[in-house]
Amino acid sequence: MADHSFSDGVPSDSVEAAKNASNTEKLTDQVMQNPRVLAALQERLDNVPHTPSSYIETLPKAVKRRINALKQLQVRCAHIEAKFYEEVHDLERKYAALYQPLFDKRREFITGDVEPTDAESEWHSENEEEEKLAGDMKNKVVITEKEAATAEEPNPKGIPEFWFTIFRNVDMLSELVQEYDEPILKHLQDIKVKFSDPGQPMSFVLEFHFEPNDYFTNSVLTKTYKMKSEPDKADPFSFEGPEIVDCDGCTIDWKKGKNVTVKTIKKKQKHKGRGTVRTITKQVPNESFFNFFNPLKGKSDEDSEFTLASDFEIGHFFRERIVPRAVLYFTGEAIEDDDNELEGDEEGEDEDDAEINPKVGNFGATQTYLLCYTLRLLKMFPTLRQ
């Protein structure tokens, strides 16, 4: 039988517990009076993260109810914003029709089908006066030689290798082009952008027009980018503008032995039973710009996500920069402008103090659209943030 001793009618174990509690309280008081301990505790408290969500959790129910009402309004704002971008797309389609006659004439000059008039060829450069003075001095010294050289100067048709030169000038494109792609791209005569018709799902098509060549029978290669401009029902607050959701290429009808997107390899194979060795040949994928017209489908690994995101970026760059400003990428002037913009960004120039580049203009709807598209890419492919 257990021995329970008593002191003044109180069990001894209760007395012992009370003593321990008293000692603990005294020890706590002593510790809390130590300045070093208090400083350490304060530091721990200062480092505790105070997130917005933790703050929201502390609010009264009535306030949370009003916050939910604000979120309802935010969803409605997102749907209005989606309509805004749909109208931007309609405006782009409208003005694309106004640009097209100029782009058609551009093609005629490039291919040499039409020769520009003297008035159409007149252009005043920024350094025209200096160039004129230098030219006059040079003419006085070598006028006879210059006349002879002019008489012998070749006059090729149009502007040779116009689009191929743009591919070489732009790093984003030149990285895709292999040496065996180059002779094919020299046959590229035009690149067009076509927008989806009114009432149709939002999309745009890149058309690459080629002259007859020894590589494929297609006269036009196409790449279609499908977009959507509507908030996600499951996550409406993620909406930041139209996003490219898919893309389709086209079938290239390669002539025999001319397909640069595949290569033939030979492999020795040993028969398990007989021990004989035979050589087999098979075709495997080959790096080429023309893989651009055969986009990846149905894969979700990190490499394919990166490839798809790069594909979207290239398609958008053709649409927003290359096609509208082709001559400036041919001469390199647009590339210099792009480099200057990057340098300005790297210098961390204050936005309020930055001067507006007259060649670029204000940050308009198209630039806003491109920025939203880039942000959407980062959300679609989170591995790109790393």
PDB file of all heavy atoms in Angstrom, residues 71 74-82 228-243 245 376 379-380:
ATOM      1  N   LYS A  71     -12.787  42.304 -52.742  1.00  0.00           N
ATOM      2  CA  LYS A  71     -12.301  41.274 -53.667  1.00  0.00           C
ATOM      3  C   LYS A  71     -13.316  41.029 -54.784  1.00  0.00           C
ATOM      4  O   LYS A  71     -12.936  40.802 -55.939  1.00  0.00           O
ATOM      5  CB  LYS A  71     -12.004  39.981 -52.913  1.00  0.00           C
ATOM      6  CG  LYS A  71     -10.766  40.057 -52.029  1.00  0.00           C
ATOM      7  CD  LYS A  71     -10.467  38.713 -51.380  1.00  0.00           C
ATOM      8  CE  LYS A  71      -9.179  38.779 -50.563  1.00  0.00           C
ATOM      9  NZ  LYS A  71      -8.856  37.481 -49.924  1.00  0.00           N
ATOM     10  N   GLN A  74     -12.759  43.626 -57.191  1.00  0.00           N
ATOM     11  CA  GLN A  74     -11.505  43.401 -57.928  1.00  0.00           C
ATOM     12  C   GLN A  74     -11.708  42.411 -59.066  1.00  0.00           C
ATOM     13  O   GLN A  74     -11.142  42.577 -60.155  1.00  0.00           O
ATOM     14  CB  GLN A  74     -10.420  42.891 -56.971  1.00  0.00           C
ATOM     15  CG  GLN A  74      -9.036  42.859 -57.579  1.00  0.00           C
ATOM     16  CD  GLN A  74      -8.556  44.245 -57.939  1.00  0.00           C
ATOM     17  OE1 GLN A  74      -8.742  45.198 -57.184  1.00  0.00           O
ATOM     18  NE2 GLN A  74      -7.958  44.376 -59.109  1.00  0.00           N
ATOM     19  N   VAL A  75     -12.507  41.375 -58.836  1.00  0.00           N
ATOM     20  CA  VAL A  75     -12.807  40.418 -59.898  1.00  0.00           C
ATOM     21  C   VAL A  75     -13.527  41.105 -61.048  1.00  0.00           C
ATOM     22  O   VAL A  75     -13.221  40.866 -62.233  1.00  0.00           O
ATOM     23  CB  VAL A  75     -13.655  39.252 -59.343  1.00  0.00           C
ATOM     24  CG1 VAL A  75     -14.160  38.364 -60.480  1.00  0.00           C
ATOM     25  CG2 VAL A  75     -12.841  38.421 -58.360  1.00  0.00           C
ATOM     26  N   ARG A  76     -14.457  41.977 -60.725  1.00  0.00           N
ATOM     27  CA  ARG A  76     -15.177  42.708 -61.784  1.00  0.00           C
ATOM     28  C   ARG A  76     -14.226  43.611 -62.555  1.00  0.00           C
ATOM     29  O   ARG A  76     -14.336  43.755 -63.772  1.00  0.00           O
ATOM     30  CB  ARG A  76     -16.323  43.507 -61.166  1.00  0.00           C
ATOM     31  CG  ARG A  76     -17.426  42.611 -60.590  1.00  0.00           C
ATOM     32  CD  ARG A  76     -18.410  43.373 -59.731  1.00  0.00           C
ATOM     33  NE  ARG A  76     -19.179  44.354 -60.502  1.00  0.00           N
ATOM     34  CZ  ARG A  76     -20.089  45.166 -59.962  1.00  0.00           C
ATOM     35  NH1 ARG A  76     -20.359  45.092 -58.667  1.00  0.00           N
ATOM     36  NH2 ARG A  76     -20.734  46.035 -60.727  1.00  0.00           N
ATOM     37  N   CYS A  77     -13.263  44.207 -61.836  1.00  0.00           N
ATOM     38  CA  CYS A  77     -12.244  45.029 -62.512  1.00  0.00           C
ATOM     39  C   CYS A  77     -11.422  44.189 -63.482  1.00  0.00           C
ATOM     40  O   CYS A  77     -11.082  44.641 -64.582  1.00  0.00           O
ATOM     41  CB  CYS A  77     -11.316  45.680 -61.486  1.00  0.00           C
ATOM     42  SG  CYS A  77     -12.063  47.021 -60.544  1.00  0.00           S
ATOM     43  N   ALA A  78     -11.080  42.960 -63.072  1.00  0.00           N
ATOM     44  CA  ALA A  78     -10.288  42.082 -63.935  1.00  0.00           C
ATOM     45  C   ALA A  78     -11.037  41.774 -65.224  1.00  0.00           C
ATOM     46  O   ALA A  78     -10.436  41.721 -66.304  1.00  0.00           O
ATOM     47  CB  ALA A  78      -9.945  40.797 -63.187  1.00  0.00           C
ATOM     48  N   HIS A  79     -12.343  41.574 -65.146  1.00  0.00           N
ATOM     49  CA  HIS A  79     -13.129  41.292 -66.344  1.00  0.00           C
ATOM     50  C   HIS A  79     -13.215  42.525 -67.255  1.00  0.00           C
ATOM     51  O   HIS A  79     -13.188  42.398 -68.485  1.00  0.00           O
ATOM     52  CB  HIS A  79     -14.531  40.823 -65.949  1.00  0.00           C
ATOM     53  CG  HIS A  79     -14.571  39.403 -65.479  1.00  0.00           C
ATOM     54  ND1 HIS A  79     -14.576  38.327 -66.342  1.00  0.00           N
ATOM     55  CD2 HIS A  79     -14.576  38.876 -64.219  1.00  0.00           C
ATOM     56  CE1 HIS A  79     -14.601  37.194 -65.642  1.00  0.00           C
ATOM     57  NE2 HIS A  79     -14.590  37.504 -64.354  1.00  0.00           N
ATOM     58  N   ILE A  80     -13.286  43.703 -66.661  1.00  0.00           N
ATOM     59  CA  ILE A  80     -13.268  44.932 -67.474  1.00  0.00           C
ATOM     60  C   ILE A  80     -11.906  45.082 -68.153  1.00  0.00           C
ATOM     61  O   ILE A  80     -11.814  45.454 -69.326  1.00  0.00           O
ATOM     62  CB  ILE A  80     -13.582  46.155 -66.587  1.00  0.00           C
ATOM     63  CG1 ILE A  80     -15.040  46.099 -66.118  1.00  0.00           C
ATOM     64  CG2 ILE A  80     -13.314  47.453 -67.351  1.00  0.00           C
ATOM     65  CD1 ILE A  80     -15.403  47.187 -65.121  1.00  0.00           C
ATOM     66  N   GLU A  81     -10.838  44.774 -67.412  1.00  0.00           N
ATOM     67  CA  GLU A  81      -9.494  44.852 -67.985  1.00  0.00           C
ATOM     68  C   GLU A  81      -9.338  43.886 -69.155  1.00  0.00           C
ATOM     69  O   GLU A  81      -8.714  44.200 -70.167  1.00  0.00           O
ATOM     70  CB  GLU A  81      -8.456  44.539 -66.909  1.00  0.00           C
ATOM     71  CG  GLU A  81      -7.014  44.742 -67.366  1.00  0.00           C
ATOM     72  CD  GLU A  81      -6.019  44.409 -66.273  1.00  0.00           C
ATOM     73  OE1 GLU A  81      -6.430  43.943 -65.188  1.00  0.00           O
ATOM     74  OE2 GLU A  81      -4.811  44.604 -66.506  1.00  0.00           O
ATOM     75  N   ALA A  82      -9.944  42.694 -69.027  1.00  0.00           N
ATOM     76  CA  ALA A  82      -9.896  41.721 -70.117  1.00  0.00           C
ATOM     77  C   ALA A  82     -10.562  42.282 -71.366  1.00  0.00           C
ATOM     78  O   ALA A  82     -10.063  42.110 -72.485  1.00  0.00           O
ATOM     79  CB  ALA A  82     -10.563  40.422 -69.687  1.00  0.00           C
ATOM     80  N   LYS A 228      -5.546  34.097 -75.034  1.00  0.00           N
ATOM     81  CA  LYS A 228      -6.819  34.322 -74.362  1.00  0.00           C
ATOM     82  C   LYS A 228      -6.685  35.551 -73.477  1.00  0.00           C
ATOM     83  O   LYS A 228      -5.597  35.860 -72.969  1.00  0.00           O
ATOM     84  CB  LYS A 228      -7.244  33.104 -73.547  1.00  0.00           C
ATOM     85  CG  LYS A 228      -6.471  32.875 -72.272  1.00  0.00           C
ATOM     86  CD  LYS A 228      -7.105  31.759 -71.440  1.00  0.00           C
ATOM     87  CE  LYS A 228      -6.389  31.595 -70.099  1.00  0.00           C
ATOM     88  NZ  LYS A 228      -7.018  30.559 -69.259  1.00  0.00           N
ATOM     89  N   SER A 229      -7.798  36.250 -73.335  1.00  0.00           N
ATOM     90  CA  SER A 229      -7.809  37.441 -72.491  1.00  0.00           C
ATOM     91  C   SER A 229      -9.023  37.357 -71.579  1.00  0.00           C
ATOM     92  O   SER A 229     -10.032  38.021 -71.797  1.00  0.00           O
ATOM     93  CB  SER A 229      -7.878  38.716 -73.344  1.00  0.00           C
ATOM     94  OG  SER A 229      -7.907  39.870 -72.520  1.00  0.00           O
ATOM     95  N   GLU A 230      -8.926  36.523 -70.562  1.00  0.00           N
ATOM     96  CA  GLU A 230      -9.997  36.389 -69.579  1.00  0.00           C
ATOM     97  C   GLU A 230      -9.404  35.890 -68.275  1.00  0.00           C
ATOM     98  O   GLU A 230      -8.472  35.078 -68.263  1.00  0.00           O
ATOM     99  CB  GLU A 230     -11.070  35.428 -70.079  1.00  0.00           C
ATOM    100  CG  GLU A 230     -10.569  34.026 -70.385  1.00  0.00           C
ATOM    101  CD  GLU A 230     -11.685  33.119 -70.872  1.00  0.00           C
ATOM    102  OE1 GLU A 230     -12.499  32.702 -70.026  1.00  0.00           O
ATOM    103  OE2 GLU A 230     -11.739  32.854 -72.080  1.00  0.00           O
ATOM    104  N   PRO A 231      -9.926  36.391 -67.166  1.00  0.00           N
ATOM    105  CA  PRO A 231      -9.409  35.932 -65.866  1.00  0.00           C
ATOM    106  C   PRO A 231      -9.691  34.454 -65.652  1.00  0.00           C
ATOM    107  O   PRO A 231     -10.728  33.930 -66.073  1.00  0.00           O
ATOM    108  CB  PRO A 231     -10.191  36.793 -64.858  1.00  0.00           C
ATOM    109  CG  PRO A 231     -10.692  37.966 -65.640  1.00  0.00           C
ATOM    110  CD  PRO A 231     -10.931  37.452 -67.025  1.00  0.00           C
ATOM    111  N   ASP A 232      -8.765  33.795 -64.997  1.00  0.00           N
ATOM    112  CA  ASP A 232      -8.941  32.390 -64.643  1.00  0.00           C
ATOM    113  C   ASP A 232      -9.995  32.295 -63.534  1.00  0.00           C
ATOM    114  O   ASP A 232      -9.912  32.989 -62.523  1.00  0.00           O
ATOM    115  CB  ASP A 232      -7.609  31.821 -64.148  1.00  0.00           C
ATOM    116  CG  ASP A 232      -7.630  30.305 -63.975  1.00  0.00           C
ATOM    117  OD1 ASP A 232      -8.666  29.790 -63.533  1.00  0.00           O
ATOM    118  OD2 ASP A 232      -6.619  29.661 -64.282  1.00  0.00           O
ATOM    119  N   LYS A 233     -10.973  31.428 -63.721  1.00  0.00           N
ATOM    120  CA  LYS A 233     -12.037  31.306 -62.721  1.00  0.00           C
ATOM    121  C   LYS A 233     -11.489  30.876 -61.368  1.00  0.00           C
ATOM    122  O   LYS A 233     -11.971  31.311 -60.326  1.00  0.00           O
ATOM    123  CB  LYS A 233     -13.092  30.314 -63.210  1.00  0.00           C
ATOM    124  CG  LYS A 233     -13.894  30.812 -64.407  1.00  0.00           C
ATOM    125  CD  LYS A 233     -14.934  29.795 -64.824  1.00  0.00           C
ATOM    126  CE  LYS A 233     -15.724  30.303 -66.041  1.00  0.00           C
ATOM    127  NZ  LYS A 233     -16.732  29.317 -66.489  1.00  0.00           N
ATOM    128  N   ALA A 234     -10.494  30.001 -61.386  1.00  0.00           N
ATOM    129  CA  ALA A 234      -9.923  29.510 -60.128  1.00  0.00           C
ATOM    130  C   ALA A 234      -9.002  30.531 -59.470  1.00  0.00           C
ATOM    131  O   ALA A 234      -8.823  30.518 -58.250  1.00  0.00           O
ATOM    132  CB  ALA A 234      -9.154  28.215 -60.376  1.00  0.00           C
ATOM    133  N   ASP A 235      -8.416  31.431 -60.264  1.00  0.00           N
ATOM    134  CA  ASP A 235      -7.470  32.427 -59.729  1.00  0.00           C
ATOM    135  C   ASP A 235      -7.600  33.729 -60.522  1.00  0.00           C
ATOM    136  O   ASP A 235      -6.702  34.105 -61.276  1.00  0.00           O
ATOM    137  CB  ASP A 235      -6.036  31.880 -59.812  1.00  0.00           C
ATOM    138  CG  ASP A 235      -5.027  32.803 -59.158  1.00  0.00           C
ATOM    139  OD1 ASP A 235      -5.444  33.678 -58.374  1.00  0.00           O
ATOM    140  OD2 ASP A 235      -3.822  32.657 -59.434  1.00  0.00           O
ATOM    141  N   PRO A 236      -8.717  34.442 -60.357  1.00  0.00           N
ATOM    142  CA  PRO A 236      -8.950  35.647 -61.175  1.00  0.00           C
ATOM    143  C   PRO A 236      -7.958  36.770 -60.915  1.00  0.00           C
ATOM    144  O   PRO A 236      -7.718  37.604 -61.785  1.00  0.00           O
ATOM    145  CB  PRO A 236     -10.372  36.072 -60.771  1.00  0.00           C
ATOM    146  CG  PRO A 236     -10.579  35.473 -59.411  1.00  0.00           C
ATOM    147  CD  PRO A 236      -9.821  34.189 -59.417  1.00  0.00           C
ATOM    148  N   PHE A 237      -7.354  36.786 -59.706  1.00  0.00           N
ATOM    149  CA  PHE A 237      -6.432  37.880 -59.383  1.00  0.00           C
ATOM    150  C   PHE A 237      -5.084  37.730 -60.082  1.00  0.00           C
ATOM    151  O   PHE A 237      -4.259  38.644 -60.043  1.00  0.00           O
ATOM    152  CB  PHE A 237      -6.229  37.965 -57.866  1.00  0.00           C
ATOM    153  CG  PHE A 237      -7.507  38.156 -57.096  1.00  0.00           C
ATOM    154  CD1 PHE A 237      -7.785  37.386 -55.990  1.00  0.00           C
ATOM    155  CD2 PHE A 237      -8.438  39.104 -57.505  1.00  0.00           C
ATOM    156  CE1 PHE A 237      -8.962  37.553 -55.283  1.00  0.00           C
ATOM    157  CE2 PHE A 237      -9.626  39.279 -56.809  1.00  0.00           C
ATOM    158  CZ  PHE A 237      -9.898  38.501 -55.703  1.00  0.00           C
ATOM    159  N   SER A 238      -4.836  36.605 -60.724  1.00  0.00           N
ATOM    160  CA  SER A 238      -3.578  36.414 -61.447  1.00  0.00           C
ATOM    161  C   SER A 238      -3.611  37.068 -62.823  1.00  0.00           C
ATOM    162  O   SER A 238      -2.591  37.135 -63.507  1.00  0.00           O
ATOM    163  CB  SER A 238      -3.281  34.920 -61.602  1.00  0.00           C
ATOM    164  OG  SER A 238      -4.242  34.307 -62.450  1.00  0.00           O
ATOM    165  N   PHE A 239      -4.777  37.568 -63.242  1.00  0.00           N
ATOM    166  CA  PHE A 239      -4.900  38.136 -64.593  1.00  0.00           C
ATOM    167  C   PHE A 239      -4.067  39.403 -64.725  1.00  0.00           C
ATOM    168  O   PHE A 239      -4.185  40.337 -63.935  1.00  0.00           O
ATOM    169  CB  PHE A 239      -6.365  38.452 -64.899  1.00  0.00           C
ATOM    170  CG  PHE A 239      -6.575  39.023 -66.283  1.00  0.00           C
ATOM    171  CD1 PHE A 239      -6.505  38.202 -67.386  1.00  0.00           C
ATOM    172  CD2 PHE A 239      -6.804  40.375 -66.469  1.00  0.00           C
ATOM    173  CE1 PHE A 239      -6.688  38.709 -68.663  1.00  0.00           C
ATOM    174  CE2 PHE A 239      -6.985  40.894 -67.728  1.00  0.00           C
ATOM    175  CZ  PHE A 239      -6.934  40.066 -68.829  1.00  0.00           C
ATOM    176  N   GLU A 240      -3.207  39.428 -65.733  1.00  0.00           N
ATOM    177  CA  GLU A 240      -2.350  40.591 -65.992  1.00  0.00           C
ATOM    178  C   GLU A 240      -2.324  40.915 -67.477  1.00  0.00           C
ATOM    179  O   GLU A 240      -1.369  41.495 -67.974  1.00  0.00           O
ATOM    180  CB  GLU A 240      -0.933  40.331 -65.474  1.00  0.00           C
ATOM    181  CG  GLU A 240      -0.867  40.248 -63.959  1.00  0.00           C
ATOM    182  CD  GLU A 240       0.494  39.825 -63.445  1.00  0.00           C
ATOM    183  OE1 GLU A 240       1.205  39.118 -64.190  1.00  0.00           O
ATOM    184  OE2 GLU A 240       0.842  40.181 -62.313  1.00  0.00           O
ATOM    185  N   GLY A 241      -3.347  40.516 -68.198  1.00  0.00           N
ATOM    186  CA  GLY A 241      -3.398  40.791 -69.631  1.00  0.00           C
ATOM    187  C   GLY A 241      -3.429  39.515 -70.436  1.00  0.00           C
ATOM    188  O   GLY A 241      -3.385  38.406 -69.886  1.00  0.00           O
ATOM    189  N   PRO A 242      -3.510  39.634 -71.760  1.00  0.00           N
ATOM    190  CA  PRO A 242      -3.583  38.453 -72.624  1.00  0.00           C
ATOM    191  C   PRO A 242      -2.365  37.563 -72.461  1.00  0.00           C
ATOM    192  O   PRO A 242      -1.259  38.037 -72.216  1.00  0.00           O
ATOM    193  CB  PRO A 242      -3.627  39.053 -74.031  1.00  0.00           C
ATOM    194  CG  PRO A 242      -4.099  40.452 -73.844  1.00  0.00           C
ATOM    195  CD  PRO A 242      -3.568  40.885 -72.520  1.00  0.00           C
ATOM    196  N   GLU A 243      -2.572  36.274 -72.582  1.00  0.00           N
ATOM    197  CA  GLU A 243      -1.468  35.328 -72.524  1.00  0.00           C
ATOM    198  C   GLU A 243      -1.534  34.400 -73.730  1.00  0.00           C
ATOM    199  O   GLU A 243      -2.622  34.074 -74.217  1.00  0.00           O
ATOM    200  CB  GLU A 243      -1.521  34.506 -71.239  1.00  0.00           C
ATOM    201  CG  GLU A 243      -2.796  33.722 -71.051  1.00  0.00           C
ATOM    202  CD  GLU A 243      -2.756  32.849 -69.818  1.00  0.00           C
ATOM    203  OE1 GLU A 243      -1.732  32.175 -69.616  1.00  0.00           O
ATOM    204  OE2 GLU A 243      -3.746  32.840 -69.072  1.00  0.00           O
ATOM    205  N   VAL A 245      -1.430  30.932 -75.078  1.00  0.00           N
ATOM    206  CA  VAL A 245      -1.713  29.655 -74.423  1.00  0.00           C
ATOM    207  C   VAL A 245      -1.297  28.453 -75.264  1.00  0.00           C
ATOM    208  O   VAL A 245      -1.160  27.349 -74.746  1.00  0.00           O
ATOM    209  CB  VAL A 245      -3.219  29.550 -74.079  1.00  0.00           C
ATOM    210  CG1 VAL A 245      -3.575  30.574 -73.026  1.00  0.00           C
ATOM    211  CG2 VAL A 245      -4.089  29.741 -75.316  1.00  0.00           C
ATOM    212  N   ARG A 376       3.195  37.091 -67.599  1.00  0.00           N
ATOM    213  CA  ARG A 376       2.421  35.860 -67.679  1.00  0.00           C
ATOM    214  C   ARG A 376       3.340  34.661 -67.943  1.00  0.00           C
ATOM    215  O   ARG A 376       3.125  33.576 -67.405  1.00  0.00           O
ATOM    216  CB  ARG A 376       1.367  35.947 -68.786  1.00  0.00           C
ATOM    217  CG  ARG A 376       0.229  36.896 -68.493  1.00  0.00           C
ATOM    218  CD  ARG A 376      -0.541  36.509 -67.268  1.00  0.00           C
ATOM    219  NE  ARG A 376      -1.181  35.228 -67.395  1.00  0.00           N
ATOM    220  CZ  ARG A 376      -1.810  34.620 -66.413  1.00  0.00           C
ATOM    221  NH1 ARG A 376      -1.880  35.175 -65.236  1.00  0.00           N
ATOM    222  NH2 ARG A 376      -2.365  33.445 -66.605  1.00  0.00           N
ATOM    223  N   LYS A 379       4.739  33.432 -64.828  1.00  0.00           N
ATOM    224  CA  LYS A 379       3.762  32.699 -64.017  1.00  0.00           C
ATOM    225  C   LYS A 379       3.497  31.324 -64.597  1.00  0.00           C
ATOM    226  O   LYS A 379       3.322  30.340 -63.880  1.00  0.00           O
ATOM    227  CB  LYS A 379       2.447  33.489 -63.929  1.00  0.00           C
ATOM    228  CG  LYS A 379       2.548  34.695 -63.008  1.00  0.00           C
ATOM    229  CD  LYS A 379       1.173  35.094 -62.509  1.00  0.00           C
ATOM    230  CE  LYS A 379       1.297  36.101 -61.382  1.00  0.00           C
ATOM    231  NZ  LYS A 379       0.006  36.327 -60.711  1.00  0.00           N
ATOM    232  N   MET A 380       3.460  31.240 -65.930  1.00  0.00           N
ATOM    233  CA  MET A 380       3.200  29.958 -66.578  1.00  0.00           C
ATOM    234  C   MET A 380       4.377  29.006 -66.395  1.00  0.00           C
ATOM    235  O   MET A 380       4.201  27.802 -66.254  1.00  0.00           O
ATOM    236  CB  MET A 380       2.954  30.168 -68.078  1.00  0.00           C
ATOM    237  CG  MET A 380       1.653  30.875 -68.402  1.00  0.00           C
ATOM    238  SD  MET A 380       1.641  31.449 -70.098  1.00  0.00           S
ATOM    239  CE  MET A 380       1.811  29.914 -70.996  1.00  0.00           C
TER     240      MET A 380
END
